[in-house]
Amino acid sequence: AALNDGLRSQVSAALKEGRVTPTELCQRCLALIKSTKFLNAYITVAEETALKQAEESEKRYKRGQPLGILDGIPIAVKDNFNTAGIETTCASNMLKGYISPYNATVVQKLLDHGAVLLGKTNLDEFAMGSGSTDGVFGPVRNPWSYSKQYKEKSVPRSHSEDEESNWVITGGSSGGSAAAVSSFTCFAALGSDTGGSTRNPAAHCGVVGLKPTYGLISRHGLIPLVNSMDVPGILTRCVDDAAVLLGSLAGHDPKDSTTIQDEFKPFELPNLTDVSKLSIGIPKEYHAPGLSSEIVALWSKAADLFKNAGAKVVEVSLPHTRYSIVCYHVLCTAEVASNMARFDGLEYGHRSDMKDSTESMYAATRREGFNDVVRGRILSGNYFLLKQNYEKYFVKAQKVRRLIANDFVKVFRSGVDVLLTPTTLSDAAPYMEFIQEDNRTRSAQDDILTQAANMAGLPAISVPTALSERGLPVGLQFIGRSFQEKQLLTVAKWFEKQVQFPVIQLEEVKRHDNGVFQHQKSASFS
Amino acid sequence: QKVSVEVLDHLEHLALVDFRDSEGVERLQKAIQFADQLHEVNTDGVEPMDSVLEDRWCLYLREDDVTEGNCTKQLLENAREKVEEYFVAPPGNIPLPKLEEREAFLQGS
């Protein structure tokens, strides 16, 4: 069986042929969610509604009228997307108990295609963070912490030392979604990506993470962080599956005026065999301080892979790369200051008991509802937006943003088709180590390789490449031209086929496996 | 160059969010320091960028037709304090207590 094309040629085929039913699939995923509860990937499991959706799907298959490839497929959604009738918390006290009155457009589209919504996944509070460690429901654990591959490589300091203290983070902020896909509890998941929040955890959890071009997929119903950069993200186990999800989600939405009006045509990915006409750019500034030597080696090996197959591989320069994080810091906090103003306790969410005045109620509500990270960004954002600072910081950052976006335009204009870069600075850190530094420092460090693509609105994808010396996944990133997702994914799929990233070996999954969950094992790249 | 207590107080009023402790104030100081790196970049003659879609997309207006609504009951469900079809707020036009009167941290700075 092919490693690629899980949804179309394996699961969907099995459903059509009746080898497995949507209800069986749903039940197995729900059981697996229960037995992997220690990962803390899910905030809400919508068991009843999921089983109902599976039942409806089964009826359609029996009639021979499935809605498409996604009919009956269990998926998970990050908990910052509105889901009608299901609690949406953004992992914050501010929205605990908030039951969405509507579905985000992307959620509605998935349901219209027959997908089965298993539940809402865990994240950093309001998607602010790069570890999925700062939400009110606790941190998400990377499934690879419990893999045979990681356990074999870790040296216990003493016999009594628990694997409890050794577990590694998922990365973030869409860590729950990445963990859910990685541990086979769903076949695909939605994340969001503002500075790398889909690609970062994808790389750490060994799954595919796609950030589409800004304006391609509707943000209606995605609780906003940075309106000019947010996009819904797609997490899957292979590149073909990402293309399937993209096909069902992309396109103009009248409810989101930042989606482009051009018609989107869903596509199947060709099996590229000849890369001689391809030009791959290697941006030298992505050799960032702190990049692990392991990842430098893998990056180099990947470039050689393309070169040896006949592609043109050139070093390019994106001179303003190192300012992208600073620029993001200002623009993000400014937009956050504005977006978070809606949380005042009046119409939804947490409301303080303070009654003295409107302002004091708002202040108390926000004091009680937001964590330090969120409050810190709101205050910084307000600072940069003060009359005396507006030109100096906010407008200045907007100018630098143009310079960053122009860097990419120049490089793509020079004939480069796709850029190849690392996704993260290293493999996943142990939780105990990660929390030594504060959220802002961590985000600044971890977002360095992913953030510029958000700044310029470009599509980017992280593809699992190899296991590190510690037995943990490492991903590499491809950045493409605006709205050229087909080209980007075609190259990514070719690369995925070459590297043959190993399947995670989890005890939990072995117990529930029936072959539909796992693809064939294969030799690894490293 | 430290941020003055007046500005900190002003920010707490604007944001309706508190610094809570010295750590919160330090966080802002570090954020400003970090942002100051922007001034190393020469942006002479560069226009600010509002949106990456500026070339492609003109914000369009749609027809002034009612296409959805009538969901008052649904919208009120998530509010804690309501009366008939109103959201209920405490009395407005009462400013937050002045710095001297607040129990907030900034008093101690």
Side-chain angles (χ1 to χ4, degrees), chain A residues 468-479:
Chain A
S468 68
E469 296 226 337
R470 288 162 67 215
L472 295 172
V474 169
L476 289 179
Q477 173 178 240
F478 294 93
I479 304 174

Side-chain angles (χ1 to χ4, degrees), chain A residues 225-236:
Chain A
L225 190 60
V226 183
N227 293 303
S228 69
M229 293 182 216
D230 289 351
V231 293
I234 293 168
L235 294 129
T236 56

Side-chain angles (χ1 to χ4, degrees), chain A residues 98-99 101 214 252 254 257-258 260-262 323 325-326 329-330 346-348 351 353 355-363 366-367 372 375 378-380 382-384 386 392-393 395-403 440 455-457 483, chain B residues 3 7 10-20 27-28 30-32 34-43 46-54 56-57 59-60 68 74-75 78-81 87-92 94-96:
Chain A
Y98 165 70
I99 312 278
Y214 179 85
H252 178 63
S257 58
T258 60
I260 57 161
Q261 311 242 22
D262 302 13
Y323 293 109
I325 273 294
V326 188
H329 167 72
V330 173
L346 263 188
E347 294 158 47
Y348 43 72
R351 177 175 177 144
D353 290 330
K355 287 192 201 335
D356 293 353
S357 67
T358 321
E359 281 205 13
S360 66
M361 188 278 273
Y362 292 171
R366 293 155 70 80
R367 186 194 169 93
D372 287 350
R375 281 180 15 258
I378 294 173
L379 288 163
S380 302
N382 274 290
Y383 180 82
F384 297 132
L386 288 175
K392 228 173 71 162
Y393 290 98
V395 178
K396 180 78 180 178
Q398 287 191 306
K399 292 179 179 177
V400 174
R401 179 174 189 177
R402 183 179 295 284
L403 292 175
R440 195 189 57 78
M455 199 60 80
F483 300 104
Chain B
V3 181
V7 173
H10 184 46
L11 287 174
E12 282 197 344
H13 267 90
L14 282 176
L16 287 181
V17 148
D18 62 322
F19 284 98
R20 194 151 307 183
R27 208 174 281 134
L28 177 66
K30 287 209 192 102
I32 299 170
F34 190 65
D36 281 333
Q37 292 174 73
L38 275 180
H39 304 121
E40 293 168 20
V41 189
N42 183 344
T43 52
V46 181
E47 283 297 301
M49 182 181 235
D50 288 323
S51 167
V52 295
L53 296 177
E54 59 188 10
R56 276 189 163 253
W57 142 77
L59 195 60
Y60 61 93
E68 56 179 347
Q74 258 185 313
L75 293 178
N78 277 302
R80 218 187 82 171
E81 312 263 341
F87 295 111
V88 181
I94 300 174
L96 278 180

Side-chain angles (χ1 to χ4, degrees), chain A residues 35-108:
Chain A
S35 63
T36 54
K37 210 158 177 214
F38 53 89
L39 294 177
N40 203 20
Y42 288 81
I43 293 176
T44 303
V45 180
E47 187 162 337
E48 263 183 59
T49 51
L51 286 168
K52 271 202 203 100
Q53 287 160 7
E55 217 182 283
E56 291 301 310
S57 170
E58 199 158 315
K59 288 187 194 148
R60 290 190 291 267
Y61 274 103
K62 283 210 176 99
R63 288 199 305 265
Q65 293 171 334
L67 294 168
I69 299 176
L70 288 178
D71 204 335
I73 303 293
I75 50 128
V77 168
K78 186 175 181 183
D79 207 16
N80 59 351
F81 286 92
N82 275 283
T83 43
I86 299 174
E87 194 180 0
T88 300
T89 67
C90 293
S92 174
N93 280 319
M94 189 57 91
L95 287 177
K96 255 194 191 160
Y98 165 70
I99 312 278
S100 313
Y102 71 108
N103 280 322
T105 296
V106 288
V107 171
Q108 191 59 55

